[in-house]
Amino acid sequence: MSSIDLAIFSSRISAVCDEMGAVLKRAAFSPNIKDRLDYSCAIFDSKGNLCAQAAHIPVHLGSMAYAMSGIIERFDWHDGDMVIVNDPFLGGTHLPDVTLIAPVFYDGALIGFVANRAHHVNIGSDSPGSMPISSSLEEEGIVISPTKIIDQSVLDESLLEKLAHSFEAKGDYLAQVGANKSGVTRLTELVTRTGVESYLAQLNDLNAYGRRLAQAELSRITPGEYEFSDVMDGDGITSDPITIRCKLRVSKHGIVADFTGTSAQVAGNVNCPLSVTAAGVFYAFRCLLPDYTPACAGAFSVIDIIAPDGCLLNANYPAAVAAGNVETSTRVVDAVLGALSQADVTLAASASHGSMNNIAMGSHDSQHPWDYYETIGGGMGASVNGSGLSCVQTHMTNTLNTPIESLESHFPIQITEYSIRKHSGGEGLFYGGDGIVREFEFLSDTQVTLLTERRQHQPWGLNGGSAGKVGCNWLNGELLAPKVSLQVKAGDRVRIETPGGGGWGEPNS
């Protein structure tokens, strides 16, 4: 199969994922999905190997790619089925991210799966926004083990009612169902045009091509062992620093990312299931590959991961993981990029803001219940290619900001400031990007949870560039801890100042 034919085939199946995402966005009700675009879509083969994905959320797709096979082996699949799951220890990320998986049959034979994952702002936690300062998984909400929500085209209405806490939430679940149905239809049409044997052969060729590309590009890294450590601010229960240690072993056969020496799993919620750690590693190396590299299993097959059982990055059930998906995954990327910089400083960017700067809020008052959650961008790290961007999401998230008009029309909130945090990026030959200032004024009594990082340890610079500024969280002018839950009154203001990115290179004199 020629490279041109492979490129066309890769674009065709990727377009199926793009259309699934468009359906989900247009049909969803909540700002988290329709405005922030906190969702992802992908296609897998009949064994659960990744075939294609849209350019959505890296932490979603990398974790699905790592653990899909274990989920599909649990079921006797039929046409019209759909499985729902959010268990972080069975291929999930954290409980708000709910995945729906649908099989694709052709002439009675199972030929693959489509799947989408979307963030649900209320997954049953007592804490509004379902991102609590937790110390066990059960505090974070409802754990959905892989379960058929649709069995041979029959929807389990009782399960949907149990999961959906509002009309809006029900609409989001049904939007996910619709996205998968769209994916099944479009993939079936593609197989009909190409023929099933040709389709499966092209999948094999695509994976072989992805593997060759990855081997060729990653073989440019000088063989050897490269180690880097980074530190997290704490787990929300204590402020004790938490170490992430990464050793990369690079050879002509591939790369091993070894996290031996990383801190043991902690009492708070910054723990990661191994699938989330894998997502961070896959993403970091995907950034080194050409844009035209297909997003398939073959492209990741040259990377192996070691994370000792029971450590922060391979935590055991029922560890709390709500912030592991959003905060620790991002810092896994920092550790991998830091190790790559030891091999060749031009391979890696300086540290970006290193946090998704999460804020969850709402009220479970019986008369006016509401839940909201968002992530806030910051400064991108600089690199040999130039200065970092300001006020952007980086690495493991790819969501948009919620437009102020949407936020204020849905919830009792006003945004009193939304601006660039000037001079928060690190200096250097190339500057780190600046962070963001976002200030919320609450119009009614509200419970607020902040899960943030880089409030105590600066985003590092490279090659003589200086570090970016740490972030700060404030309540009515008083400094808050990086991770905190608090009850605010009408008129109170929470101000979040996100970190800047690290600089790169010695400044010009």
Side-chain angles (χ1 to χ4, degrees), residues 58-59 62-63 66 226-233 242-248 256-260 262-263 270-287 303-308 311-315 323-341 348-356 394-397 453-454 460:
V59 74
S63 54
Y66 190 79
Y226 308 100
E227 189 166 356
F228 190 85
S229 294
D230 210 338
V231 181
M232 298 185 67
D233 293 341
I242 303 165
T243 299
I244 297 176
R245 180 168 289 119
C246 176
K247 177 183 286 187
L248 297 180
V256 177
D258 187 348
F259 293 95
T260 300
T262 294
S263 295
V270 297
N271 302 292
C272 284
L274 188 57
S275 57
V276 169
T277 301
V281 175
F282 291 161
Y283 162 82
F285 285 104
R286 180 65 180 84
C287 290
I303 302 166
D304 291 317
I305 299 165
I306 297 172
C311 79
L312 181 78
L313 303 182
N314 188 10
N325 174 59
V326 288
E327 297 302 277
T328 311
S329 67
T330 298
R331 304 301 292 282
V332 167
V333 176
D334 283 349
V336 173
L337 294 181
L340 280 170
S341 73
S350 300
S352 293
H353 57 103
S355 174
M356 294 192 197
T394 59
H395 298 326
M396 298 310 290
T397 186
E453 270 290 323
R454 293 291 193 200
W460 38 265

Side-chain angles (χ1 to χ4, degrees), residues 183-263:
V184 170
T185 298
R186 293 292 180 254
L187 190 59
T188 303
E189 290 173 352
L190 175 60
V191 174
T192 301
R193 287 198 302 270
T194 62
V196 66
E197 291 184 1
S198 176
Y199 171 77
L200 296 176
Q202 288 177 91
L203 280 185
N204 288 333
D205 289 345
L206 190 68
N207 276 296
Y209 176 59
R211 182 181 178 86
R212 290 196 304 271
L213 274 178
Q215 283 181 321
E217 292 297 321
L218 299 181
S219 67
R220 299 181 183 183
I221 304 172
T222 304
E225 292 190 353
Y226 308 100
E227 189 166 356
F228 190 85
S229 294
D230 210 338
V231 181
M232 298 185 67
D233 293 341
D235 66 352
I237 306 299
T238 75
S239 58
D240 296 340
I242 303 165
T243 299
I244 297 176
R245 180 168 289 119
C246 176
K247 177 183 286 187
L248 297 180
R249 292 196 286 273
V250 181
S251 72
K252 63 180 181 180
H253 304 294
I255 294 175
V256 177
D258 187 348
F259 293 95
T260 300
T262 294
S263 295

Side-chain angles (χ1 to χ4, degrees), residues 456-492:
Q456 297 169 358
H457 300 89
Q458 294 175 274
W460 38 265
L462 280 177
N463 203 35
S466 62
K469 287 185 178 179
V470 296
C472 305
N473 307 326
W474 308 88
L475 173 62
N476 299 328
E478 294 188 7
L479 189 64
L480 296 170
K483 301 172 182 68
V484 65
S485 181
L486 58 151
Q487 188 74 33
V488 300
K489 301 293 185 182
D492 285 346

Side-chain angles (χ1 to χ4, degrees), residues 31-110:
N32 269 285
I33 299 176
K34 67 184 178 70
D35 292 322
R36 287 184 57 244
L37 311 187
D38 199 342
Y39 62 80
S40 298
C41 303
I43 295 173
F44 299 84
D45 68 17
S46 60
K47 295 181 180 179
N49 298 310
L50 181 66
C51 302
Q53 62 187 49
H56 291 151
I57 312 296
V59 74
H60 287 179
L61 295 167
S63 54
M64 277 200 283
Y66 190 79
M68 183 72 170
S69 60
I71 297 174
I72 65 174
E73 290 171 356
R74 291 170 167 256
F75 296 95
D76 181 18
W77 294 92
H78 301 94
D79 195 14
D81 286 351
M82 210 169 293
V83 161
I84 189 169
V85 61
N86 75 341
D87 190 334
F89 296 94
L90 292 174
T93 50
H94 60 178
L95 297 186
D97 288 341
V98 180
T99 304
L100 268 67
I101 303 164
V104 182
F105 285 84
Y106 189 80
D107 283 345
L110 178 65

